[in-house]
Amino acid sequence: MSVYVVTGVSKGIGFEFLRQLSEDKDNLVIGLVRNKAATQKKAAAELGDRPNAHILHGDLTNYASLKEAAAETAKIVGDRGVDYLIANAGLVPDFDAYGPVSELADKVQEVDAGAAEVFQTNVTGQLHLFNLFVPLIKKGKAKKVIAISSGMADIDFVNQCEVDVGTIYAASKAALNMIVAKFNAEYKKDGILFLSISPGLVEVGRYVNVTPEQMNGMMGFVGKLSEYAPHFKGPITPEESVKAVRSVWEKASIEDGYGGGFISHLGNKQWV
């Protein structure tokens, strides 16, 4: 039996983590979300009765809620601790998602406000999450902390493919990767694996209600991906992504040099 804590399980990849991990009745899965009631309702409707799955309130922009979630988790897991902490929750802003960095020049207030929210969620919120749950990870057997990052944070990929969209989001994920490396630097000696994994380009319904202009920006990015990876046929499903990410983290270990690393769902630096 393994004990998992997964953030952001209300939808998309996070809900798929909840679904797959709780399929094994021997696993204990604790999901953290901002809207507990809505997620409990969704889980009941789509997953049925799974007594091994628990939903707790936990908001990366609210330290008190994370602290309370850690305390509640400790009560649920007891002396078993937590084997895996999956830092999946994150914020993907719309204001910079489809256009080049130059377009941000005329969005000063939006950029300043949006960047503050993005970095609080994707960087400092993750730092607090890790610090609060490390004591429980120390008690676990697997001792793995996985941060869901993005290939957009890879400087070589950005330069090679000339990816000029998603500037603030990419910067926040690059910062998250550094946070992961810093935690590895401190806790590697305790046998805790900290690792950033990109889930690939995943279809989660994000591009349904975009404008024609935004779609053009998105298609330009997709075109660059096709040049980068000729085998690329389009986004993968949450199910495919989660299965791949799980396979990567199961194989990864400190002994094999994965500590503090940043790799893809394919287990390397190929992002799609």
Side-chain angles (χ1 to χ4, degrees):
M1 182 196 79
S2 293
V3 179
Y4 298 84
V5 172
V6 187
T7 62
V9 300
S10 63
K11 59 184 179 181
I13 299 173
F15 190 79
E16 183 62 21
F17 274 125
L18 179 68
R19 185 187 71 79
Q20 288 190 25
L21 295 173
S22 63
E23 281 181 343
D24 185 340
K25 296 180 180 179
D26 290 332
N27 288 337
L28 177 59
V29 187
I30 298 171
L32 272 57
V33 294
R34 287 178 296 178
N35 192 328
K36 177 179 176 179
T39 305
Q40 286 178 320
K41 182 177 180 180
K42 179 179 179 179
E46 298 186 26
L47 305 181
D49 182 24
R50 295 192 180 182
N52 63 328
H54 302 258
I55 305 299
L56 303 179
H57 175 246
D59 185 343
L60 289 170
T61 65
N62 185 324
Y63 179 81
S65 75
L66 293 178
K67 187 175 182 179
E68 178 61 27
E72 290 186 50
T73 298
K75 294 177 182 177
I76 294 171
V77 303
D79 292 334
R80 290 173 293 182
V82 173
D83 294 299
Y84 300 84
L85 172 62
I86 313 303
N88 165 76
L91 178 60
V92 184
D94 287 325
F95 68 84
D96 74 335
Y98 307 101
V101 64
S102 60
E103 289 188 1
L104 302 182
D106 298 323
K107 301 179 179 180
V108 176
Q109 293 183 335
E110 190 174 6
V111 168
D112 287 349
E117 184 180 11
V118 170
F119 271 76
Q120 185 179 17
T121 304
N122 295 354
V123 184
T124 56
Q126 310 290 351
L127 184 152
H128 296 321
L129 177 76
F130 295 167
N131 273 326
L132 287 166
F133 278 86
V134 158
L136 294 176
I137 289 290
K138 285 183 175 181
K139 293 181 179 180
K141 294 181 179 179
K143 293 182 172 60
K144 293 186 178 184
V145 178
I146 307 299
I148 301 302
S149 186
S150 169
M152 296 279 281
D154 181 60
I155 292 176
D156 291 337
F157 170 68
V158 170
N159 287 324
Q160 179 183 345
C161 297
E162 299 180 348
V163 181
D164 56 4
V165 299
T167 302
I168 300 300
Y169 173 71
S172 74
K173 289 297 187 177
L176 171 61
N177 293 344
M178 181 56 72
I179 294 294
V180 168
K182 294 295 186 180
F183 272 89
N184 169 70
E186 180 170 358
Y187 290 105
K188 180 180 179 180
K189 66 181 185 301
D190 297 308
I192 301 177
L193 173 71
F194 282 86
L195 176 65
S196 294
I197 303 178
S198 167
L201 185 61
V202 187
E203 175 53 61
V204 292
R206 176 172 171 76
Y207 307 108
V208 175
N209 298 314
V210 298
T211 66
E213 183 179 12
Q214 290 174 330
M215 182 56 70
N216 286 335
M218 181 61 190
M219 293 310 296
F221 172 57
V222 171
K224 293 177 179 178
L225 289 181
S226 297
E227 294 180 9
Y228 163 75
H231 64 275
F232 177 68
K233 303 299 181 183
I236 59 178
T237 66
E239 181 179 7
E240 291 172 320
S241 173
V242 169
K243 284 183 178 179
V245 170
R246 289 177 61 192
S247 176
V248 170
W249 83 44
E250 288 300 335
K251 296 175 183 177
S253 68
I254 292 175
E255 292 73 20
D256 288 335
Y258 286 89
F262 169 40
I263 54 179
S264 74
H265 63 299
L266 302 174
N268 51 33
K269 293 287 186 177
Q270 179 75 33
W271 304 111
V272 294

